[in-house]
Amino acid sequence: MANQPTILVIGGGLAGLSASHTALDHGARVVLLDKKPNLGGNSVKASSGINGANTEAQKKHGISDSVQLFYNDTETSAGTLSRPNLIQALTANSAGALTWLTTQFKIDLSLVSRLGGHSVPRTHRGTGGAPGWAMTSALIKKLQEVESSQFNRVRVRQGAKVIRLLEDGSGKIVGAEYENEEGRYEERADAVIIATGGYAADFSDHGYLSKYRPDLFAFPTASGDHATGDGLLLATSLQKPAALLDIEKIQVHPTGFVDPKSPMAKTKFLAAEALRGAGAILINGSGERFVNELERRDVVSGKMHEVIKAGEAPIRLILNEESSAALKTHCDFYLAKGLMKRYDSGEEFAIEAKLPLENLRNTFGSHTMYGEGKATDPLGKTYFDNSWYSVEKPVLVAEITPVLHYTMGGISVDSSARVLDSQGVPISGLYAAGEVIGGVHVRNRLGGSSLLEAVVFGRIAGETAASL
Ligand SMILES: Cc1cc2nc3c(=O)[nH]c(=O)nc-3n(C[C@H](O)[C@H](O)[C@H](O)COP(=O)(O)OP(=O)(O)OC[C@H]3O[C@@H](n4cnc5c(N)ncnc54)[C@H](O)[C@@H]3O)c2cc1C
């Protein structure tokens, strides 16, 4: 490879940004193309946080964690088809990824919460706004600084949609063709990193959702409209196509907000899983809990479907004062958007929602007892934060529904982020990172592990591509 190789990064979400910075750190030049007018992708929306095992923040909070424990939780969540090399890459590099973010970009990740399927609290966020915004804005700012201060090191092109990868006679990837408002252009490079995100908004007639999961086609999504699986198409349209893994595996997130102003909207805001981590409970239309709120996402979504099918909707998410205070910035935002409503008491809510007050009183009373250890939750919840609920006290309430959220399927890579063909052979010059890759989470992705996947595999891709 050239002395100062040029790395072409497709996609400016957290994976593409992490890859770009790492490639720069390893001496490369970077060209970053993104089809949208603004960088950030779905990464900017992420609201719960990023996972890390054995981090400085965990140690400060007295949380005992290990790479092995994180590995085990991820493997259990992934199910029988789990791929050890990818899980090992994700979990073993997690603490390093967080240190990179906090030291190199001064991102605050000092708070740690526990999301569904994790044995211990390990999802990190800061005290300010949404963690996805905090991370992407810091990485974008620094990239722009390098672009303006160091001649020819970085070129960022927004509104530039990549439509084809360029191959030489041997099948090596040597660049990409993109289009923008002015026309079509070729961009040559020594290596290409695909970081185009997932396909949870691919509602085209012959797209990935309609082809692989027609049963989910009618669902709303929490993804931005860029998430149409472009990277998958680019990588599978080669002379020797990339292999795809787990393409039918799509995560349905339990808590999309039903906006009272537009209840049928196809794109929905996501109610962060951190709300449940901080003590929020879920109730059916009769005011009864029906699931351990801290179960894995696939389990919670599955139980919600049973409730909906049984005609026991609407499903609501409820927070007491303590749990809403723990996520004040989030809740202030949801309240301002009209997605959540505050009631002076649970009783006031029960009257407005026309649900039996006695049921709500029982639900709140028993949840409080489980939290105090005076009884065992028959639904299996064992970790309690802010568990004290009373119908006499204020509550925040939102109606929620399952939404398409994250696509587990994607391009097959090895633990060096090299794209593999159907024989498992690396395609020369081609790397991939972030949600566009498949095989890491298989059956179910743990909350907080996608931002981590973007940073870990983005950094691996940036380093491998720049160093070879
Ligand atoms: C509402 C919401 C909340 C979430 N919260 C969390 C959370 O708290 N924790 C967590 O771990 N995960 C969370 N996730 C998931 C996580 O945010 C994403 O999976 C992750 O950010 C994906 O990062 P990425 O860089 O791979 O893709 P993205 O951030 O989606 O970026 C992909 C980029 O590629 C560009 N692109 C696409 N196609 C092309 C093309 N043809 N040419 C050029 N550019 C292209 C897009 O415009 C986009 O900018 C959340 C997701 C959503 C939707």
Side-chain angles (χ1 to χ4, degrees):
M1 185 163 291
N3 257 351
Q4 192 178 41
T6 298
I7 308 300
L8 173 60
V9 179
I10 311 173
L14 191 58
L17 292 165
S18 300
S20 299
H21 279 291
T22 310
L24 282 173
D25 289 347
H26 285 80
R29 286 194 193 99
V30 170
V31 178
L32 172 61
L33 302 178
D34 197 295
K35 68 178 177 180
K36 300 295 283 184
N38 297 309
L39 302 181
N42 274 345
S43 306
V44 82
K45 298 172 165 222
S47 47
S48 284
I50 180 166
N51 295 333
N54 217 2
T55 63
E56 289 307 314
Q58 282 179 314
K59 284 176 202 157
K60 275 190 193 142
H61 290 286
I63 299 160
S64 168
D65 197 4
S66 66
V67 169
Q68 189 61 50
L69 196 58
F70 187 18
Y71 182 102
N72 294 349
D73 288 345
T74 307
E75 189 181 43
T76 304
S77 174
T80 47
L81 287 175
S82 70
R83 299 180 180 85
N85 64 329
L86 298 180
I87 297 182
Q88 184 63 25
L90 182 81
T91 54
N93 288 303
S94 67
L98 268 67
T99 303
W100 185 68
L101 293 168
T102 53
T103 54
Q104 194 146 330
F105 302 95
K106 308 283 175 255
I107 296 162
D108 174 16
L109 294 173
S110 56
L111 301 178
V112 190
S113 62
R114 178 173 170 162
L115 302 187
H118 291 280
S119 300
V120 295
R122 64 164 73 96
T123 307
H124 298 63
R125 65 177 197 280
T127 50
W133 178 84
M135 287 178 227
T136 47
S137 56
L139 269 68
I140 291 169
K141 188 165 171 250
K142 197 152 182 187
L143 201 64
Q144 286 166 342
E145 281 168 12
V146 181
E147 190 180 22
S148 55
S149 65
Q150 295 186 36
F151 177 71
N152 217 13
R153 284 299 305 283
V154 181
R155 241 182 326 125
V156 179
R157 293 274 176 275
Q158 284 144 238
K161 179 179 176 178
V162 173
I163 50 175
R164 188 169 68 92
L165 297 177
L166 305 177
E167 302 173 73
D168 69 9
S170 69
K172 180 183 185 309
I173 306 304
V174 292
E177 184 180 1
Y178 69 93
E179 61 184 14
N180 63 17
E181 281 179 345
E182 277 101 51
R184 289 192 169 187
Y185 303 91
E186 285 190 356
E187 188 70 51
R188 298 268 155 184
D190 295 292
V192 173
I193 299 172
I194 303 179
T196 50
Y199 48 95
D202 184 14
F203 294 110
S204 58
D205 283 348
H206 303 289
Y208 290 99
L209 291 175
S210 89
K211 186 162 174 200
Y212 293 101
R213 290 302 300 270
D215 56 316
L216 297 181
F217 197 77
F219 272 60
T221 186
S223 266
D225 63 4
H226 69 275
T228 47
D230 296 15
L232 277 56
L233 194 61
L234 294 172
T236 51
S237 304
L238 300 170
Q239 291 168 42
K240 230 189 208 175
L244 299 182
L245 294 178
D246 308 332
I247 194 72
E248 75 295 347
K249 302 262 188 295
I250 293 176
Q251 181 165 77
V252 176
H253 194 294
T255 60
F257 281 113
V258 177
D259 186 341
K261 295 187 290 300
S262 51
M264 303 308 286
K266 189 76 173 163
T267 304
K268 302 215 182 292
F269 271 101
L270 197 75
E273 184 168 337
L275 297 169
R276 281 175 284 139
I281 60 174
L282 302 183
I283 59 166
N284 64 17
S286 309
E288 294 152 345
R289 285 176 65 235
F290 54 89
V291 68
N292 166 6
E293 290 81 358
L294 292 180
E295 259 291 4
R296 293 192 323 259
R297 290 175 176 176
D298 55 337
V299 176
V300 180
S301 295
K303 290 282 176 200
M304 287 174 71
H305 281 298
E306 288 174 20
V307 169
I308 294 164
K309 259 176 105 176
E312 292 165 0
I315 298 170
R316 294 185 177 93
L317 176 137
I318 304 200
L319 295 113
N320 58 16
E321 280 186 301
E322 292 77 16
S323 47
S324 58
L327 283 157
K328 188 174 179 324
T329 317
H330 287 67
C331 292
D332 286 349
F333 175 77
Y334 302 144
L335 287 164
K337 286 259 165 216
L339 300 166
M340 236 177 210
K341 188 169 171 188
R342 185 183 186 282
Y343 295 87
D344 285 339
S345 68
E347 188 172 350
E348 187 187 308
F349 155 64
I351 291 166
E352 186 178 296
K354 296 189 179 59
L355 57 81
L357 177 60
E358 228 18 63
N359 285 2
L360 198 64
R361 197 188 299 279
N362 287 339
T363 297
F364 282 7
S366 40
H367 190 268
T368 303
M369 289 214 303
Y370 306 145
E372 288 170 344
K374 292 181 180 154
T376 305
D377 180 12
L379 296 169
K381 191 167 173 180
T382 52
Y383 175 86
F384 290 90
D385 217 0
N386 305 315
S387 57
W388 198 84
Y389 279 80
S390 161
V391 288
E392 274 86 49
K393 293 281 183 184
V395 284
L396 265 57
V397 182
E399 186 182 337
I400 50 157
T401 190
V403 282
L404 301 183
H405 178 57
Y406 175 87
T407 44
M408 267 85 70
I411 298 171
S412 175
V413 293
D414 62 13
S415 52
S416 301
R418 299 181 300 178
V419 173
L420 305 176
D421 68 15
S422 59
Q423 307 301 309
V425 177
I427 297 172
S428 182
L430 190 60
Y431 305 84
E435 191 170 341
V436 76
I437 67 172
V440 182
H441 316 283
V442 196
R443 174 183 65 174
N444 179 68
R445 172 178 71 77
L446 291 175
S449 277
S450 177
L451 292 177
L452 178 65
E453 170 185 61
V455 178
V456 164
F457 284 93
R459 291 182 72 206
I460 293 174
E463 178 172 353
T464 326
S467 312
L468 285 177

